[in-house]
Amino acid sequence: MTGGSGPPLLLLHGYPQTHAMWRKVAPRLAQDFTLVIPDLRGYGESSKPPAGENFTNYSKRALALDQVETMTALGFDKFGVRRARSRARVTHRLLRDHRKITGAASLDIVPTLYRFETIGPEGGDRELALVFLIQPSPFPSG
């Protein structure tokens, strides 16, 4: 989904949401920005390719590259990023791997490895979605 006018701004949804999570704030943001609001690979209306060896087709690096390719195809060489909670990891890959980001903020995220190493049954009820991310194949993951 795209719309609005002004500098380009990529809005990334959280896990397990889709682009629809931005529906209430997008109209206001579109007054100042040209919005690009995709479903990340594997979510909502996006493509769902096979996972590949070691799930590389769903790595944060692959998801970040999808966004760069989308923005480039739309004619945006540089763009800002706003993301919902867990997509800070995709934003992190965008910042590390590509020099196209004009602004980003990732403030509410615990480092992935630390979180996966320390999550236990007592945290599962608060962060149920994360419990699914660390299950071995063939169980679904985000």
Side-chain angles (χ1 to χ4, degrees):
M1 174 186 303
T2 60
S5 61
L9 179 62
L10 175 65
L11 299 179
L12 300 178
H13 61 79
Y15 170 78
Q17 295 88 10
T18 68
H19 74 279
M21 71 167 286
W22 295 104
R23 70 188 176 283
K24 292 185 177 182
V25 297
R28 171 58 188 97
L29 290 171
Q31 294 173 15
D32 299 314
F33 298 95
T34 299
L35 302 179
V36 177
I37 313 173
D39 280 337
L40 292 168
R41 182 187 294 196
Y43 294 83
E45 300 295 319
S46 72
S47 66
K48 295 163 183 67
E53 186 177 333
N54 295 321
F55 301 95
T56 55
N57 287 335
Y58 290 90
S59 69
K60 304 308 180 221
R61 182 166 275 139
L63 296 174
L65 182 59
D66 286 348
Q67 302 318 304
V68 168
E69 291 173 347
T70 296
M71 297 302 279
T72 300
L74 292 170
F76 303 122
D77 185 49
K78 302 266 186 191
F79 53 93
V81 179
R82 298 297 176 267
R83 70 348 162 238
R85 194 171 156 221
S86 61
R87 290 308 144 203
R89 293 175 176 92
V90 175
T91 302
H92 179 250
R93 288 293 7 144
L94 281 165
L95 292 166
R96 298 277 314 242
D97 296 348
H98 307 280
R99 302 287 184 217
K100 297 180 173 278
I101 310 302
T102 58
S106 296
L107 303 174
D108 61 345
I109 196 75
V110 174
T112 306
L113 181 60
Y114 173 80
R115 192 66 202 124
F116 286 169
E117 288 176 345
T118 60
I119 195 167
E122 69 284 346
D125 61 343
R126 290 188 318 271
E127 299 186 55
L128 185 58
L130 288 177
V131 172
F132 291 109
L133 290 174
I134 59 175
Q135 298 304 309
S137 183
F139 296 104
S141 67

